[in-house]
Amino acid sequence: MPRPHGFAYTATANGTVHITHHQHSATTLNGPRAARFLEEVATGDPQLVMARWTGNYKHGNERTARNHPRNRR
């Protein structure tokens, strides 16, 4: 599975976190969720963490794609 890329985040002074994907707004986090995100992004792979928090991680078609005749070996 390819690694996620293109994510960036900006934390503001009032505690809000804005996450973008390829310069398009993906989500905004406030309060305790923003604090938890900042802790997690500091300790893990930032691209994976942002992909998971925005919901752009798995789309549910992985099993279908894996079973497609073109992808069978």
Side-chain angles (χ1 to χ4, degrees), residues 9 33 44 48-49 65-66:
Y9 73 94
R33 292 190 70 217
L48 286 174
V49 171
R66 183 176 58 226

Side-chain angles (χ1 to χ4, degrees), residues 2 8 12 14 16-17 20-21 27-28 32-34 38 53 56 61 66 71-73:
T12 63
N14 66 0
T16 301
V17 175
T20 60
H21 186 243
T27 192
T28 301
R33 292 190 70 217
L38 290 172
W53 277 78
N56 192 6
N61 63 349
R66 183 176 58 226
N71 297 327
R72 291 184 184 217
R73 292 184 182 199

